Amino acid sequence: MDLIFRNARLIDPEALTDAPGSLRVTRGLIAGRGASDEPAPEGATVIDCRGRALAPGLIDWGVKIGEPGERHKESFRSAGRAAAAGGVTTIVARPDTTPPIDTPEALEFVARRASDAPVNIRHMAALTKGREGHEMTEIGFLTDLGAVAFTDGVRVVRDARLMGRCMTYARGLGALIVGHPQEPSLSHGAAATSGKFASLYGIPSVSPVAEVMGLDRDLALVAMTRGRYHADQITVAASLPALARARDTGLDVTAGISIHHLTLNEFDVGDYRTFFRFTPPLRSEDDRQAMVQAVADGLIDVIASFHTPQDEESKRLPFEAAAPGAVGLQTLLPAALRLYHQGGLSLPQLFRAMALNPARRLGLPAGRLSDGAPADLILFDPDAPFVLDRFALLSKSKNTPFDGARMQGRVLGSWVAGHPVFGEHA
Amino acid sequence: MSFRARHLLGIDHLKPDEITTLLDLAGDYVALNRRTVKHADALAGMTQINMFFENSTRTQASFELAGKRLGADVMNMAVAQSSVKKGETLIDTALTLNAMQPDLLVVRHPHSGAVNLLAEKVNCAVINAGDGRHEHPTQALLDALTIRRAKGRLHRLTIAICGDIAHSRVARSNLILLGKMENRIRLIGPATLMPAGVSEMGVELYEDMREGLRGADVVMMLRLQKERMDGGFIPSEREYFHRFGLDAEKLALAAPDAIVMHPGPMNRGVEIDGTIADDINRSVIQDQVEMGVAVRMAALDLLARNLRAERGRAAAGEPQWT
């Protein structure tokens, strides 16, 4: 079935353009662009975008789904529905489940379960067995089965020799390692960034230096092994010089950041609100602004939600005892649009960080509007205002820091390989 | 005949003509060993001590048999269980032994360079039977003899060495010997088991075994040690066998008359498929064991000749060379 989107505002993250036009889709693939009022081919389904933005669907890199082990917090079905409603057409799932995705057999299980979701699901696998940091996983078999990257999540592989060997072994297979830059002996037990706020509220805290140290170690190992490396979250300005240096010397290094660290700061925690507890913790306003600039400059490549569903019991605890993380599949786009409305980032820049760059880094064909790419598309109104009600979220878990927040940006429709999965056309 | 060495500490110090001399003599001993009466008297009256600081069955038996067939008095010292446990240093052990006036000393030691150190402290000829991850010269020589007999030559061959190169003294000695004899050498294995800087040693590196085996005349498999199997260097036995185990499908990419070698003991199903190891048309693994005895006889014989000549010159009051 052919599709044509007419009268659209096309957001192209490759050309970094934001211009009116139309887009054709044939057999699930993007098949060319034209003028806004391009006549529809015979038999094609016409979608009149009425001047709204049409962009590649978001690729959310680092989503926790509760299967296996915590299905009461999130299932592939519930996460997939939330993703479709939030404009996320590809979920890149985390392996930090219970048990973790550390064997080919476990990966086959989640790959089967993922067919419940209406959007694309790709999987990362654990880097070490049991995420315990002692023995590497079967990176070869897991790569053959489609694992797109290897990570122990927020558990740092403390043993530098093992981390180096993992990078060396993965290099031969072209596999990507995702690190969590953090010096664990410093960050252990911390729930806030050290500074005036943490001191006044008496919250155990960690210096931003812990991130710099972790990043420095990982980058030194990359220099030694020439492996492929992605830092999951770079959140403080002090990390940026090392990252820039690594890029300049030609190391195969990229970096990401969570949308929460780009839109919230340490003071948002306010009166011990546990929905604002993250790993790493929220940073200072200076750091937040530096990170927005780093995304604009392209030094930080990827923005993701780090969707982490937690049930009420995990959050209804004293701040430092509460589980970290927030759901984000449905709030990633409107939160990111805050940066657009504030003038820090253009729409093409945002979609470069939330669609094109993750696709490129993970070897996925989506994330762009070019001919031949899969027609994973979203139609949205970047200006539509609303007040977020956490109980209206489709995730099984409702732990969002944006409850009651005034936001802008509504997804009108989502398509995966040309098939509508959300919106009035679905 | 040209073989000038006083000790056999490694392949590194041998010249190509010395290697050829040793292999020629070993060829004669192969013939002797196939007779019913296997005795020669090249070492008659001499004392050979096998000193193994690391457990070994095959190599020690091979050296013992080699010495006995040449008429030496052979003594085995399982040092791993004795004086070292009592705290004696390597040099003290050497001096103690030296006082017993041996003529030939065969030493295996877990530390690289330990045999060289010991050779400086004794008056007899020393053969390195494997030191740490440094050298294992008689293994490389027996491999060379096996190749020469199977392929008819020991030069201009494409030889693929596959497996744990980083921790293998067998690989190191073979690399040196086969390089000296002008062969094309390919090393195959995961990058975690490749020694650093090996790309500067005039060899080709492959992490894809299929690519590395393409057209090879000789496929030399190395043993993967148990302690390397789990997680540290490679994820698991099964993934290792999938990527680097020699099976019929991968071997089909090598030259049609390629031979398969393994220094033993084999881990069937880890680095080599059992049916390949047993294929009498491809596998020369049993020949390697046979050549081992002959090569060690040749090495003992040549060192004994040089030792006698040296002692003769000393007795005649000539200036001694060392």
Side-chain angles (χ1 to χ4, degrees):
Chain A
M1 187 187 77
D2 287 4
L3 261 179
I4 181 162
F5 294 87
R6 297 179 67 198
N7 192 20
R9 175 181 171 188
L10 295 178
I11 310 299
D12 183 343
E14 273 183 304
L16 288 176
T17 55
D18 177 349
S22 67
L23 188 82
R24 283 188 305 281
V25 172
T26 304
R27 279 183 233 99
L29 303 177
I30 293 169
R33 273 184 251 184
S36 258
D37 52 356
E38 181 95 349
E42 189 101 1
T45 306
V46 180
I47 291 161
D48 181 0
C49 301
R50 283 179 243 159
R52 311 287 197 221
L54 184 70
L58 305 180
I59 296 175
D60 196 0
W61 184 353
V63 172
K64 168 79 178 279
I65 292 171
E67 294 191 57
E70 293 174 298
R71 215 157 129 188
H72 61 290
K73 293 186 179 178
E74 195 79 284
S75 66
F76 279 103
R77 182 187 298 272
S78 63
R81 290 177 61 220
V88 173
T89 53
T90 299
I91 285 174
V92 180
R94 296 210 306 255
D96 54 343
T97 48
T98 313
I101 311 306
D102 62 352
T103 61
E105 292 77 9
L107 181 58
E108 280 176 339
F109 169 78
V110 287
R112 256 197 324 276
R113 292 287 307 131
S115 60
D116 276 3
V119 300
N120 303 310
I121 311 266
R122 300 298 182 117
H123 301 275
M124 292 192 282
L127 182 60
T128 68
K129 292 172 187 166
R131 298 171 58 229
E132 286 173 355
H134 301 309
E135 301 168 1
M136 69 175 89
T137 54
E138 292 171 319
I139 298 173
F141 283 140
L142 291 160
T143 299
D144 288 348
L145 283 170
V148 291
F150 294 83
T151 182
D152 277 359
V154 296
R155 277 200 212 160
V156 177
V157 177
R158 289 167 181 252
D159 182 340
R161 183 152 74 169
L162 179 68
M163 187 65 170
R165 282 189 192 141
C166 288
M167 287 181 182
T168 301
Y169 190 84
R171 184 194 65 205
L173 295 158
L176 177 68
I177 289 179
V178 179
H180 180 67
Q182 201 68 221
E183 170 49 52
S185 56
L186 289 178
S187 60
H188 178 75
T193 303
S194 51
K196 188 173 155 194
F197 175 81
S199 298
L200 279 174
Y201 278 75
I203 302 172
S205 62
V206 58
S207 161
V209 166
E211 179 180 302
V212 181
M213 285 174 69
L215 182 66
D216 279 342
R217 184 202 74 156
D218 283 359
L219 293 179
L221 290 172
V222 173
M224 181 177 90
T225 61
R226 296 276 147 183
R228 300 182 65 215
Y229 178 84
H230 175 77
D232 66 347
Q233 303 185 56
I234 294 297
T235 60
V236 296
S239 295
L240 296 175
L243 189 60
R245 213 161 42 240
R247 288 281 177 82
D248 291 345
T249 53
L251 299 183
D252 191 355
V253 168
T254 49
I257 187 170
S258 90
I259 190 62
H260 304 110
H261 289 89
L262 285 174
T263 52
L264 304 169
N265 68 30
E266 56 188 342
F267 293 106
D268 285 307
V269 170
D271 200 13
Y272 302 104
R273 293 191 293 171
T274 59
F275 285 2
F276 291 78
R277 186 175 171 199
F278 295 95
T279 304
L282 290 174
R283 305 304 196 182
S284 70
E285 177 60 13
D286 285 349
D287 278 330
R288 187 195 71 81
Q289 288 180 13
M291 294 301 111
V292 173
Q293 189 57 46
V295 173
D297 296 342
L299 184 54
I300 288 180
D301 305 86
V302 175
I303 304 173
S305 76
F306 291 86
H307 181 85
T308 304
Q310 300 288 6
D311 53 17
E312 302 289 309
E313 285 67 38
S314 309
K315 285 288 189 184
R316 206 176 288 151
L317 290 167
F319 189 81
E320 61 191 271
V327 292
L329 284 165
Q330 268 176 280
T331 49
L332 175 58
L333 182 63
L337 287 170
R338 283 186 170 179
L339 303 170
Y340 162 68
H341 291 298
Q342 289 162 359
L345 289 163
S346 69
L347 286 180
Q349 280 177 321
L350 279 175
F351 280 84
R352 181 179 65 182
M354 297 193 294
L356 179 65
N357 284 346
R360 280 186 173 157
R361 194 57 171 152
L362 295 166
L364 308 178
R368 56 207 99 186
L369 294 184
S370 48
D371 290 4
D376 296 351
L377 298 165
I378 60 170
L379 181 64
F380 66 100
D381 178 351
D383 303 316
F386 68 100
V387 175
L388 189 106
D389 170 10
R390 70 187 183 108
F391 294 105
L393 295 176
L394 297 174
S395 268
K396 283 191 183 179
S397 297
K398 314 295 181 189
N399 53 309
T400 174
F402 297 113
D403 187 37
R406 288 160 214 278
M407 306 187 93
Q408 276 177 278
R410 183 179 293 284
V411 177
L412 305 169
S414 303
W415 288 261
V416 172
H419 292 285
V421 294
F422 174 78
E424 60 176 292
H425 305 281
Chain B
M1 108 109 210
S2 70
F3 190 86
R4 298 167 293 276
R6 183 171 194 264
H7 305 293
L8 182 58
L9 300 178
I11 297 297
D12 203 27
H13 65 82
L14 295 182
K15 298 278 183 295
D17 67 310
E18 291 179 294
I19 293 169
T20 305
T21 300
L22 195 148
L23 295 183
D24 290 345
L25 180 60
D28 298 343
Y29 282 127
V30 173
L32 174 73
N33 286 337
R34 287 180 179 178
R35 299 210 310 254
T36 311
V37 177
K38 300 177 173 63
H39 265 281
D41 57 1
L43 302 185
M46 294 184 118
T47 301
Q48 172 189 338
I49 298 180
N50 297 335
M51 209 159 71
F52 281 64
F53 292 89
E54 205 178 64
N55 289 328
S56 157
T57 310
R58 306 158 61 97
T59 307
Q60 185 172 325
S62 185
F63 270 110
E64 184 175 352
L65 211 50
K68 284 183 170 165
R69 284 185 182 168
L70 292 178
D73 295 317
V74 183
M75 185 177 82
N76 288 319
M77 290 186 60
V79 203
Q81 285 98 32
S82 68
S83 46
V84 179
K85 291 260 165 70
K86 298 176 189 160
E88 190 175 60
T89 67
L90 179 62
I91 288 174
D92 283 338
T93 308
L95 293 175
T96 306
L97 268 177
N98 196 46
M100 298 179 194
Q101 302 291 346
D103 304 290
L104 295 149
L105 196 55
V106 178
V107 185
R108 168 170 289 189
H109 198 280
H111 295 158
S112 305
V115 183
N116 299 53
L117 175 66
L118 206 137
E120 289 169 13
K121 306 291 174 192
V122 295
N123 297 322
C124 59
V126 177
I127 297 184
N128 179 2
D131 64 324
R133 50 175 88 169
H134 174 219
E135 279 230 50
H136 191 354
T138 56
Q139 178 71 43
L141 289 162
L142 75 88
D143 287 340
L145 184 60
T146 309
I147 294 170
R148 199 170 80 167
R149 290 170 69 100
K151 309 300 300 183
R153 66 179 197 272
L154 190 56
H155 56 92
R156 298 180 59 129
L157 293 166
T158 300
I159 298 167
I161 306 177
C162 181
D164 184 359
I165 314 284
H167 304 96
S168 173
R169 52 195 175 213
V170 175
R172 238 169 227 73
S173 288
N174 265 309
L175 204 67
I176 300 168
L177 191 153
L178 296 168
K180 277 183 199 274
M181 306 313 276
E182 298 179 357
N183 294 284
R184 183 172 170 189
I185 300 169
R186 299 175 179 172
L187 301 181
I188 305 171
T192 43
L193 296 177
M194 281 293 169
V198 77
S199 56
E200 296 152 32
M201 297 180 195
V203 296
E204 300 163 41
L205 297 184
Y206 291 87
E207 211 162 333
D208 179 342
M209 189 174 187
R210 289 178 175 80
E211 283 304 307
L213 289 183
R214 212 170 285 280
D217 301 303
V218 176
V219 181
M220 199 179 271
M221 302 303 298
L222 296 175
R223 172 182 170 74
L224 186 68
Q225 313 237 335
K226 279 266 181 243
E227 60 268 29
R228 320 245 189 263
M229 283 179 200
D230 272 325
F233 292 86
I234 55 159
S236 65
E237 281 181 35
R238 63 178 186 174
E239 181 161 314
Y240 185 81
F241 184 71
H242 176 72
R243 295 183 66 202
F244 299 103
L246 187 65
D247 56 18
E249 185 223 325
K250 292 189 195 109
L251 183 57
L253 295 165
D257 61 346
I259 56 167
V260 175
M261 307 177 71
H262 193 295
M266 281 181 281
N267 297 301
R268 288 171 188 257
V270 177
E271 69 252 354
I272 189 163
D273 189 276
T275 55
I276 302 284
D278 298 334
D279 182 350
I280 51 167
N281 295 316
R282 308 310 283 286
S283 165
V284 294
I285 295 170
Q286 296 308 314
D287 301 86
Q288 286 175 272
V289 180
E290 185 189 356
M291 296 309 123
V293 179
V295 154
R296 284 161 186 139
M297 288 166 80
L300 290 166
D301 185 357
L302 290 171
L303 291 176
R305 292 183 205 183
N306 288 351
L307 187 70
R308 278 199 206 92
E310 184 191 329
R311 286 179 181 163
R313 279 192 299 275
E318 289 173 27
Q320 267 185 280
W321 55 270
T322 51

